[in-house]
Amino acid sequence: MDGKLFREHKAGTLTMFEVLLASILSALLGTAFAHPQCLDFKPPFRPPQELSFCVQYKDFGCCDSVRDGEIMQNFYRVLSHFDQSGYESCAAHVQDILCQECSPYAAHLFDAEDPSTPVRTIAGLCEDYCWGVWQTCRSIFQYLTTDKELLALESNKAKFCRHLALEDTDYCFPRLLANSNLNQNLGLVTADAEGCLQLCLQEVANGLRNPVAMVHANDGTHRFFVAEQVGLVWTYLHNKSKLATPFLNISKAVLTSPWEGDERGFLGIVLHPHFKHNGKVYVYYSVEIGFDEIIRISEFRVSAHDMNTVDHGSERIILEVEEPASNHNGGEILFGDDGYLYIFIGDGGMAGDPFGKFGNAQNKSTLLGKVLRIDVNHNDHGPLYRIPSDNPFINDPSARPEIYAYGVRNMWRCSFDRGDPQTKEGKGRLFCGDVGQNKFEEVDIVEKGKNYGWRAREGFSCYDKKLCANSSLDDVLPIYAYPHKLGKSVTGGYVYRGCQNPNLNGMYIFGDFMSGRLMALKEKKETGEWLYHEICMGTGQTCIFPGLINNYYQYIISFAEDEAGELYFLSTGVPIATSPSGVVYKIVDTSRRAPPGKCRFHHTPVKVKSEIIDLVPKEKLIIKTTPTKRSKIKSTAKPSGRTKTTAQTPASSTPDWIEQLLKLLQSPTEKSRVKVPTTTRPATTKAPRSRKGGKSSERRGHRKKTKKPGNPESKQISSEVHNGAVRLVNSLNKSDRGRVEIFVNGEWGTVCDDLWNTKTAAVVCRQLGFPHVLKASKQAEFGSANNLRILLDDVECTGKEKTLLDCKHKEIGKHNCNHQEDAGVICSHKENSET
């Protein structure tokens, strides 16, 4: 695993030990890593108005014009104690010493790198400079400080200047002004030797089960809502506290499972642009009706009694689309600046879009593989949605009028650009990440009526060569594509337009679900070309700021903006719907912040009727001195007359990502870190339907159910093969019953039915997500496993244990049974269900 990205999952926040360690490392690192920091423990900034006194820091530092004026007043106060001769001799020294509060390195000059350190009253002075000041203007110090310990040494030049000196002599004044290592690229985003941009993170929420989306209310409250794949949406207040009552809970209706990589589930949520007034919420989720798997777009209204809860009885189904397979479900749903609802639907699944002559994505008579645009405004009476009059295919009788763009494979996470905060340049552009097949992932700017090439093209490369050669295809190339050596499942992001990180303005920041890479594109305005930058977590001192961390869970599921435009991403350490290992991170650039006060907002009060749960951060800063090298991206020649660049094409296609995911989950290092909890799984627990051959690079979903019974020895596969994992094996292709097989010390085996009872069987059922046990079966009711060892015998449980290994039992592998005594269970979601 990449040392820069991933870490052991340890609880706790920044401790005094870490602060001390950071200080020690700062001394050891010397000037290798610059760490600009102000006395408020935050990064420096560009003053919005020019400074008139501490002019050496007018372009970048820690003072605004108000503080600059206050320092000037202090200067005149000190100098009022001197005559003309003293003024002429000492004024420059007084100004220099006072203005170090405005230095980009003020925290270092005043030994105030963290809130627990007592702040000096005078900046750290280089010893030779101190001697010169002491020699000519010694009397100024009594007016510059009230530090009695320092003033007691005033008569002794050597002791006095040693007291004012800094341990790190590179940071003392005025030597740091001439230090090229500290002043080079000051105020720009920190980059390592390979040009990888070093950013930091702030933990915002944790304990989430596959957090797939985060949206804000846009109503002045600065609330945000985080959706879990299982079908729950949680409310968070502006201070990151969570409400105990879900905003929305449709987990009983949502189709998903606890299988790793299942693409079905609750996939998207968006609040109406006028949510503050109409309380309307739109969601995108999977359901099962009979044997059919359906994509459903529904509308809900907020409860009239609680602004933080949806009225679950208000659901109105806006649109349903049948899915021929269980993967490529799309899942994005957005409102554009035009007030219309945009819906992003996958191509129907399997591999290579095998439906029809040219595939679903190129077939405008189906909604699969499309971007849709519909009008849901003023729909309380009449049709639930209307077709916008300027939709591109509204007059084409062979096309669905809802279609806005086509030729997409499986767009996962899209966003509208807010535009430059000052000029609004770029406003309204629609960015999408489209997951590739075997070779490339791509980023597109989606425009009305355009064809984005699938299945003819994957990235810039031809996938279906015959279709690709068709001159009538007229497809739009992506703005960027990258090969599978860098990642196998793109997660689309946002163009940063927030206030707090001005250096990131205009950067499109996105990621890859499988590799865990964070990436950025920046448009070169002269040519329209998008330039690639890799994003790394800050090393050295880059992230040594209160509350910041420099590591995250690998599987990047989604990106988000808050109401103020700040950028977040959501990731997990265990990519299954039931694992509470998801975290929301806020992206922070410590190289430069906005001026103090510029990004303050007033939040409208929220009436809370639920219990409030305060955030308890669990992630920790990891201090590293040497970045880990990563793959560089090399651009190929521009493809035949097109103007965009792509990453270098690999020699061959990659293996199915699920194989690699399983290897990651089962590797020795990951076994110790990734744990799959035994939480109750969603109401629908069927495995995804199998694809008809081919490879795929999806984020989620590899196995799928078929409408007819499959392999008679169908097995329930553990989401992570760890000690105590269980599976049920039967000939009926049912997930709720079967012979119990357990994984212990690297092998699967059976359980003997001696002492086997419902309390013991309940442990197995609950571990698999079933709250009830109907039967503890004996005497190999579901067949015998003669090819496996009997691993457990005489198992006695209270029914509350997490796994059978937590119960009393004989030594592993010791028994007096044969396979005609293999134990089994019948589980259920309901008590006394028919078997």
Side-chain angles (χ1 to χ4, degrees), residues 666-678:
Q666 295 172 13
S667 66
T669 56
E670 287 298 292
K671 278 183 186 178
S672 63
R673 182 174 70 84
V674 181
K675 297 181 179 179
V676 179
T678 55

Side-chain angles (χ1 to χ4, degrees), residues 380-439:
D380 295 337
H381 305 286
L384 291 174
Y385 72 87
R386 295 176 175 85
I387 305 300
S389 60
D390 63 338
N391 264 17
F393 306 108
I394 193 169
N395 296 317
D396 184 347
S398 65
R400 290 289 299 263
E402 296 92 341
I403 296 173
Y404 180 78
Y406 65 106
V408 305
R409 186 174 181 275
N410 192 34
M411 285 184 165
W412 182 247
R413 292 310 172 237
C414 303
S415 64
F416 283 100
D417 185 357
R418 292 187 179 207
D420 183 272
Q422 303 300 323
T423 67
K424 298 303 177 184
E425 183 180 358
K427 182 175 173 58
R429 292 182 299 181
L430 176 53
F431 290 79
C432 287
D434 199 1
V435 179
Q437 182 71 42
N438 296 332
K439 292 183 178 181

Side-chain angles (χ1 to χ4, degrees), residues 724-727 738-744 748-757 760-761 764 777-780 783 785 788-797 804-805 808-809 814-815 817-825:
V726 291
R727 62 189 183 188
R739 179 178 64 248
V740 175
E741 294 183 358
I742 186 168
F743 187 84
V744 183
W748 287 99
T750 61
V751 181
C752 181
D753 64 13
D754 290 347
L755 304 180
W756 188 252
N757 58 29
T760 307
V764 173
S777 67
K778 298 185 177 184
Q779 297 182 347
L788 298 179
R789 285 206 306 147
I790 298 172
L791 296 180
L792 288 184
D793 189 14
D794 290 345
V795 184
E796 293 183 81
C797 303
L804 295 182
L805 295 182
K808 293 181 181 180
H809 55 77
K814 299 291 185 180
H815 62 86
C817 309
N818 59 52
H819 281 294
Q820 296 305 312
E821 298 170 83
D822 282 348
V825 296

Side-chain angles (χ1 to χ4, degrees), residues 482-713:
Y482 62 92
H484 279 188
K485 67 179 180 180
L486 298 181
K488 298 179 176 64
S489 182
V490 65
T491 300
Y494 284 78
V495 177
Y496 180 82
R497 299 298 189 184
C499 174
Q500 296 175 3
N501 304 294
N503 280 340
L504 302 184
N505 181 41
M507 282 190 182
Y508 176 71
I509 296 177
F510 64 109
D512 188 276
F513 175 82
M514 280 304 300
S515 69
R517 286 179 184 271
L518 286 171
M519 298 170 274
L521 300 175
K522 187 71 179 282
E523 185 178 18
K524 191 175 181 180
K525 294 180 181 179
E526 297 80 8
T527 63
E529 183 181 12
W530 290 83
L531 304 179
Y532 174 88
H533 300 275
E534 187 155 359
I535 294 174
C536 304
M537 291 294 94
T539 56
Q541 301 180 66
T542 306
C543 297
I544 303 180
F545 289 86
L548 298 189
I549 57 175
N550 59 350
N551 51 90
Y552 59 89
Y553 278 133
Q554 172 183 359
Y555 302 103
I556 301 172
I557 302 173
S558 191
F559 286 79
E561 280 183 326
D562 64 16
E563 193 166 342
E566 299 307 322
L567 187 58
Y568 301 74
F569 69 90
L570 296 67
S571 71
T572 183
V574 184
I576 63 173
T578 55
S579 175
S581 59
V583 181
V584 178
Y585 303 96
K586 182 179 180 180
I587 294 175
V588 178
D589 171 27
T590 60
S591 65
R592 174 190 163 205
R593 60 166 158 154
K598 182 177 181 181
C599 302
R600 291 177 185 167
F601 59 83
H602 172 73
H603 66 275
T604 304
V606 178
K607 295 179 180 179
V608 175
K609 296 186 177 182
S610 170
E611 177 189 352
I612 296 177
I613 303 171
D614 292 331
L615 171 68
V616 179
K618 296 181 180 180
E619 311 308 314
K620 300 176 73 174
L621 178 74
I622 294 178
I623 300 171
K624 295 183 179 181
T625 59
T626 306
T628 304
K629 288 190 176 181
R630 300 184 59 182
S631 303
K632 279 188 174 181
I633 289 188
K634 298 179 181 179
S635 296
T636 61
K638 296 175 183 177
S640 61
R642 311 284 183 136
T643 60
K644 312 298 181 186
T645 58
T646 180
Q648 189 175 18
T649 307
S652 60
S653 61
T654 56
D656 194 302
W657 76 268
I658 280 289
E659 296 176 21
Q660 301 199 5
L661 175 58
L662 288 171
K663 289 178 182 178
L664 284 174
L665 289 173
Q666 295 172 13
S667 66
T669 56
E670 287 298 292
K671 278 183 186 178
S672 63
R673 182 174 70 84
V674 181
K675 297 181 179 179
V676 179
T678 55
T679 53
T680 302
R681 60 166 122 177
T684 304
T685 57
K686 296 181 181 179
R689 292 178 291 198
S690 59
R691 300 183 197 150
K692 297 180 180 178
K695 298 178 181 178
S696 180
S697 60
E698 294 355 311
R699 300 164 284 96
R700 304 182 292 278
H702 183 62
R703 293 170 295 280
K704 295 184 156 211
K705 66 172 179 54
T706 58
K707 297 180 182 179
K708 298 178 181 179
N711 187 335
E713 278 299 306

Side-chain angles (χ1 to χ4, degrees), residues 691-738:
R691 300 183 197 150
K692 297 180 180 178
K695 298 178 181 178
S696 180
S697 60
E698 294 355 311
R699 300 164 284 96
R700 304 182 292 278
H702 183 62
R703 293 170 295 280
K704 295 184 156 211
K705 66 172 179 54
T706 58
K707 297 180 182 179
K708 298 178 181 179
N711 187 335
E713 278 299 306
S714 143
K715 297 182 179 181
Q716 184 162 346
I717 301 174
S718 167
S719 56
E720 181 203 4
V721 184
H722 62 288
N723 270 352
V726 291
R727 62 189 183 188
L728 302 183
V729 181
N730 63 76
S731 61
L732 304 174
N733 199 29
K734 292 189 175 183
S735 63
D736 62 351
R737 64 197 65 196

Side-chain angles (χ1 to χ4, degrees), residues 268-454:
I269 179 172
V270 65
L271 278 59
H272 193 279
H274 302 299
F275 170 78
K276 181 177 181 179
H277 305 291
N278 63 27
K280 289 185 176 183
V281 180
Y282 296 84
V283 298
Y284 185 130
Y285 65 101
S286 307
V287 296
E288 187 174 46
I289 301 175
F291 287 112
D292 296 325
E293 294 185 5
I294 304 291
I295 290 170
R296 175 177 290 172
I297 310 299
S298 283
E299 175 191 275
F300 289 87
R301 283 183 182 268
V302 168
S303 168
H305 307 290
D306 187 350
M307 66 185 297
N308 297 303
T309 305
V310 159
D311 176 359
H312 290 78
S314 67
E315 181 175 13
R316 299 196 299 169
I317 298 172
I318 301 294
L319 180 68
E320 289 188 333
V321 181
E322 183 177 350
E323 275 279 344
S326 294
N327 58 334
H328 301 195
N329 297 295
E332 186 63 89
I333 183 170
L334 300 169
F335 276 99
D337 291 341
D338 53 15
Y340 296 136
L341 184 63
Y342 290 72
I343 303 167
F344 302 78
I345 299 180
D347 66 7
M350 301 190 188
D353 195 4
F355 307 99
K357 187 176 181 180
F358 302 115
N360 283 328
Q362 292 297 321
N363 178 7
K364 292 195 285 291
S365 68
T366 176
L367 299 182
L368 296 167
K370 308 297 188 301
V371 179
L372 313 181
R373 183 173 72 156
I374 61 176
D375 183 358
V376 293
N377 298 298
H378 313 296
N379 66 350
D380 295 337
H381 305 286
L384 291 174
Y385 72 87
R386 295 176 175 85
I387 305 300
S389 60
D390 63 338
N391 264 17
F393 306 108
I394 193 169
N395 296 317
D396 184 347
S398 65
R400 290 289 299 263
E402 296 92 341
I403 296 173
Y404 180 78
Y406 65 106
V408 305
R409 186 174 181 275
N410 192 34
M411 285 184 165
W412 182 247
R413 292 310 172 237
C414 303
S415 64
F416 283 100
D417 185 357
R418 292 187 179 207
D420 183 272
Q422 303 300 323
T423 67
K424 298 303 177 184
E425 183 180 358
K427 182 175 173 58
R429 292 182 299 181
L430 176 53
F431 290 79
C432 287
D434 199 1
V435 179
Q437 182 71 42
N438 296 332
K439 292 183 178 181
F440 288 102
E441 304 300 306
E442 68 181 64
V443 176
D444 298 294
I445 294 181
V446 176
E447 297 177 345
K448 183 171 65 175
K450 297 298 178 65
N451 177 5
Y452 288 85
W454 176 251

